[in-house]
Coordinates of all heavy atoms in Angstrom, one line a residue:
Q256 N -29.9 6.5 4.7 CA -31.1 6.2 4.0 C -32.1 5.5 4.9 O -31.7 4.5 5.5 CB -30.8 5.4 2.7 CG -32.0 5.1 1.9 CD -31.6 4.6 0.5 OE1 -30.6 4.9 0.0 NE2 -32.5 3.7 0.0
V257 N -33.3 6.0 5.0 CA -34.3 5.4 5.8 C -35.5 4.9 5.0 O -35.9 5.6 4.0 CB -34.8 6.4 6.9 CG1 -35.9 5.8 7.7 CG2 -33.7 6.9 7.7
G258 N -36.0 3.7 5.2 CA -37.0 3.1 4.4 C -38.2 2.7 5.3 O -38.0 2.4 6.5
V260 N -41.1 4.3 6.0 CA -41.7 5.4 6.7 C -42.5 6.3 5.8 O -42.3 6.3 4.6 CB -40.6 6.2 7.5 CG1 -39.9 5.4 8.5 CG2 -39.6 6.9 6.5
E278 N -34.4 13.8 2.1 CA -35.1 14.0 0.9 C -35.8 12.7 0.5 O -35.2 11.6 0.6 CB -34.2 14.5 -0.2 CG -33.5 15.8 0.0 CD -32.6 16.2 -1.1 OE1 -32.5 15.4 -2.1 OE2 -32.0 17.3 -1.1
N279 N -37.0 12.9 0.0 CA -37.8 11.7 -0.5 C -37.3 11.2 -1.8 O -37.1 12.0 -2.8 CB -39.3 12.1 -0.6 CG -40.1 10.9 -1.0 OD1 -40.5 10.7 -2.1 ND2 -40.4 10.0 0.0
I280 N -36.9 9.9 -1.9 CA -36.4 9.4 -3.2 C -37.4 8.5 -3.8 O -37.5 8.4 -5.0 CB -35.1 8.7 -3.0 CG1 -35.2 7.6 -1.8 CG2 -34.0 9.7 -2.6 CD1 -33.9 6.8 -1.6
T281 N -38.1 7.7 -3.0 CA -39.2 6.8 -3.5 C -40.3 6.8 -2.4 O -40.2 7.3 -1.4 CB -38.7 5.4 -3.8 OG1 -38.2 4.8 -2.7 CG2 -37.7 5.4 -4.9
Q282 N -41.4 6.0 -2.7 CA -42.4 5.9 -1.8 C -41.9 5.2 -0.5 O -41.5 4.1 -0.5 CB -43.6 5.1 -2.4 CG -44.8 4.9 -1.4 CD -45.5 6.2 -1.1 OE1 -45.5 7.2 -1.9 NE2 -46.0 6.4 0.1
G283 N -42.0 5.9 0.6 CA -41.6 5.4 1.9 C -40.1 5.4 2.1 O -39.6 4.8 3.1
S284 N -39.3 5.9 1.2 CA -37.8 6.0 1.4 C -37.3 7.4 1.3 O -37.7 8.2 0.5 CB -37.1 5.1 0.3 OG -37.5 3.8 0.4
F285 N -36.3 7.7 2.2 CA -35.8 9.0 2.3 C -34.2 8.9 2.4 O -33.7 7.9 3.0 CB -36.3 9.8 3.5 CG -37.8 10.0 3.4 CD1 -38.7 9.1 3.9 CD2 -38.3 11.2 3.0 CE1 -40.1 9.3 3.8 CE2 -39.6 11.5 2.9 CZ -40.5 10.5 3.3
R286 N -33.5 9.9 2.0 CA -32.1 9.8 1.9 C -31.5 11.2 2.1 O -32.1 12.3 1.7 CB -31.6 9.3 0.5 CG -30.1 9.0 0.4 CD -29.9 8.4 -1.0 NE -28.5 7.9 -1.1 CZ -27.5 8.7 -1.6 NH1 -27.7 9.9 -1.9 NH2 -26.3 8.1 -1.7

Side-chain angles (χ1 to χ4, degrees):
Q256 184 168 326
V257 179
V260 297
E278 295 181 0
N279 182 261
I280 53 177
T281 59
Q282 180 65 32
S284 296
F285 296 84
R286 186 175 189 272

